[in-house]
Amino acid sequence: MHWSIRNKLLLLCLGVVLCGFALESLLTGVFYRRVVDLYSQERVTRLATFMSGVMQWWFDGDEAPDPGDSDWLRSELGPAQSMVYHVDLKTGRYSTTPVWKSMKSTLPPLDPEGLQTLARNMQVSEVTCICGAYRVASKREWKYIVQVALPLSIDQQNMQGFRQTTLLVGGGVFLLVGLLTWLIAQSITRPLEELSDRARKLERSPVFPHQQRKDEVGVLSRALQEGLQEVQSAREREKRFLAAASHELRTPITALLLSIEQDARKARTMQDHQKTLSRVHATALRLRELSSNLLTLVKPQSASHLTLDFTLMVGGVIDELMPMAAEKGLWLEFNGDPVKFSGDPHALRQMVTNLVSNSIKFTTQGEIQVHIQSQPEGLLLTVADTGMGFPGNAEDLFQPFARGSGAAQWTAGSGLGLAVVQEVVQAHQGNIALKNRETGGALASVWLPHR
């Protein structure tokens, strides 16, 4: 059987209430039973005292009471029964026949041992006991012993009334608590049902409700929203990767295959072979650059950042790109402060490589300056060149596959370099700015905060 959270909460609360009610009824029953016993004991003792005073007044002159007085006394006794015995003070014996009784029939003494104790021992004036179906109080007053018997059935009736009241009150409390528990369970599970319903409709309703709540439901909603954003981000990266791979890889791979097939199909001179190898090498370099950019663009940035020597890492990139700059006759200069930085080494290296290689590609003469400045809150990396500069709206270059007007005439490219740079900068909570220098050329400034 499937138990929902609502049913479990309802069952738990009702179980706790039921156990608490049972325990409370048991303890209250014991207490009430004690109270009933004490009250019954006090009542029968009080009636015995009252009867002994009346008997002393009646039989003071050895005169029998009037019938009207007997009727009045019976009404005062209520459900209790009473018998009065005469005691011979000399012999210490009591009369076998009561000198007065409240009942019509003749009964044996209800507590013969109590009568005998009071008749023989002048030091004892009162004895109580539970004899048969009665609670009996015997009291000696001068030469008379009064016995008053209160039926135990009265105590049982009081306890029965207590049980009925307890059941009625407990049943009402049980139903009231059940209703309140059901309402509370509804208020707890309704947001969960809304979240599950929204989760089944992710494409139509991408925003989960109850994110502003401070309780566990709010925590769950925010966690689901974060998970959804990660899933959507992964889907977006997957789409971008597939689109980029199908769009950018097909052409160079086709050209590479055609060059190899043509070289293998026709007899060529060594010079022709060298030209083919040069084209294959250039295409392979382009594929390597493209694949590296694609992987950086679509791969989620590492959550566990490593501490690295940022200046040393940039110096390594400059050393690798120095031959490319020298081939074009460019002066590549690098200087900066020693900086330790925590981040993704592979992504940061790809960012620097793209910025410097872009400057080399779009600069025909002059120099390229790479500078690192250490700041209290982070570091500032600038790459300045004397090339063609950025087009009118440099922000458009951050879009994947976007290239400036006339860029294709200068050099081959995929339009992913600056998109990768922005992806890496945003993953490290930094920012990047592109602008043209007043003296000509481009300036890219990257600020990365310390973690």
Side-chain angles (χ1 to χ4, degrees):
M1 181 178 180
H2 174 71
W3 288 87
S4 63
I5 296 179
R6 183 186 307 166
N7 294 336
K8 290 179 180 178
L9 287 174
L10 182 61
L11 183 63
L12 175 63
C13 292
L14 292 181
V16 171
V17 172
L18 186 61
C19 293
F21 176 71
L23 180 61
E24 185 270 340
S25 298
L26 178 62
L27 297 178
T28 306
V30 173
F31 173 77
Y32 189 76
R33 180 69 187 183
R34 179 62 177 167
V35 171
V36 169
D37 289 342
L38 291 177
Y39 173 74
S40 180
Q41 180 71 27
E42 189 274 336
R43 182 181 181 185
V44 72
T45 303
R46 179 167 47 82
L47 288 176
T49 303
F50 168 73
M51 285 295 300
S52 62
V54 173
M55 292 300 108
Q56 178 66 24
W57 172 64
W58 274 354
F59 294 106
D60 187 36
D62 293 331
E63 296 179 359
D66 296 332
D69 294 336
S70 296
D71 295 337
W72 167 79
L73 190 56
R74 291 188 182 94
S75 65
E76 291 295 323
L77 289 173
Q81 302 293 339
S82 178
M83 290 185 290
V84 181
Y85 298 89
H86 182 268
V87 178
D88 189 343
L89 299 179
K90 295 181 180 180
T91 61
R93 295 180 179 180
Y94 62 89
S95 59
T96 57
T97 302
V99 296
W100 186 86
K101 59 182 181 179
S102 62
M103 70 285 291
K104 295 181 180 181
S105 59
T106 302
L107 295 176
L110 298 176
D111 184 14
E113 295 181 0
L115 286 175
Q116 188 173 3
T117 300
L118 293 175
R120 294 181 179 179
N121 191 349
M122 300 297 295
Q123 303 298 323
V124 180
S125 62
E126 186 175 344
V127 176
T128 60
C129 75
I130 296 179
C131 302
Y134 294 92
R135 186 186 302 274
V136 181
S138 302
K139 186 175 181 62
R140 181 175 53 79
E141 188 67 31
W142 188 39
K143 58 182 179 180
Y144 297 99
I145 297 178
V146 176
Q147 278 195 341
V148 177
L150 192 64
L152 295 177
S153 58
I154 298 177
D155 297 351
Q156 296 174 357
Q157 292 175 1
N158 292 332
M159 289 300 300
Q160 183 66 25
F162 166 77
R163 294 188 186 98
Q164 293 177 355
T165 303
T166 302
L167 289 176
L168 290 176
V169 174
V173 172
F174 190 76
L175 293 177
L176 179 61
V177 171
L179 177 60
L180 293 177
T181 304
W182 185 82
L183 294 176
I184 295 174
Q186 279 281 93
S187 65
I188 293 175
T189 57
R190 186 181 297 110
L192 299 179
E193 293 176 351
E194 293 178 0
L195 290 177
S196 62
D197 182 68
R198 189 64 58 88
R200 288 190 290 266
K201 303 174 182 177
L202 290 181
E203 298 298 332
R204 290 178 291 174
S205 304
V207 179
F208 284 93
H210 308 296
Q211 295 189 40
Q212 304 302 323
R213 294 179 57 158
K214 304 299 183 182
D215 56 3
E216 291 79 0
V217 175
V219 174
L220 176 61
S221 179
R222 291 189 290 272
L224 289 174
Q225 188 66 46
E226 293 174 1
L228 174 61
Q229 292 175 353
E230 292 182 3
V231 171
Q232 290 177 336
S233 177
R235 286 184 178 180
E236 184 64 26
R237 287 194 295 268
E238 181 182 357
K239 291 178 181 179
R240 291 163 61 184
F241 176 79
L242 293 176
S246 62
H247 180 270
E248 297 295 328
L249 294 178
R250 185 183 295 110
T251 299
I253 291 177
T254 302
L256 182 64
L257 292 175
L258 287 175
S259 298
I260 296 174
E261 290 175 358
Q262 290 176 2
D263 188 73
R265 189 167 52 247
K266 297 180 180 180
R268 295 176 178 267
T269 62
M270 182 59 66
Q271 186 177 3
D272 294 333
H273 286 303
Q274 290 179 350
K275 291 181 179 179
T276 301
L277 287 177
S278 297
R279 289 196 302 271
V280 170
H281 180 261
T283 305
L285 290 178
R286 183 183 174 190
L287 284 173
R288 184 181 68 176
E289 178 186 0
L290 180 60
S291 61
S292 180
N293 283 330
L294 284 173
L295 290 176
T296 304
L297 186 63
V298 302
K299 179 179 70 68
Q301 299 299 319
S302 175
S304 58
H305 289 191
L306 303 177
T307 301
L308 68 152
D309 190 327
F310 191 83
T311 307
L312 183 62
M313 183 269 293
V314 175
V317 173
I318 297 298
D319 291 339
E320 290 182 0
L321 298 180
M322 188 68 74
M324 183 186 301
E327 185 179 359
K328 298 183 66 174
L330 302 175
W331 177 257
L332 182 55
E333 180 182 352
F334 168 59
N335 59 79
D337 305 326
V339 178
K340 296 290 185 180
F341 188 75
S342 177
D344 186 342
H346 171 76
L348 293 172
R349 187 180 184 86
Q350 187 67 34
M351 176 194 71
V352 177
T353 300
N354 288 358
L355 288 174
V356 179
S357 63
N358 270 358
S359 293
I360 295 174
K361 287 179 183 180
F362 297 101
T363 303
T364 57
Q365 60 180 358
E367 63 179 359
I368 300 170
Q369 296 179 346
V370 181
H371 180 69
I372 300 176
Q373 180 182 358
S374 177
Q375 298 180 352
E377 297 83 8
L379 63 90
L380 178 64
L381 170 69
T382 58
V383 179
D385 60 52
T386 57
M388 62 177 293
F390 296 112
N393 190 3
E395 297 296 327
D396 293 340
L397 299 179
F398 291 130
Q399 299 298 323
F401 313 116
R403 306 192 70 191
S405 59
Q409 300 176 2
W410 285 68
T411 180
S414 61
L416 291 177
L418 290 178
V420 170
V421 171
Q422 187 187 48
E423 185 80 14
V424 175
V425 171
Q426 291 179 347
H428 290 79
Q429 285 87 47
N431 56 68
I432 179 173
L434 304 178
K435 69 178 183 177
N436 292 322
R437 303 171 65 187
E438 295 180 357
T439 58
L443 174 63
S445 302
V446 176
W447 185 81
L448 300 175
H450 287 304
R451 289 177 180 269

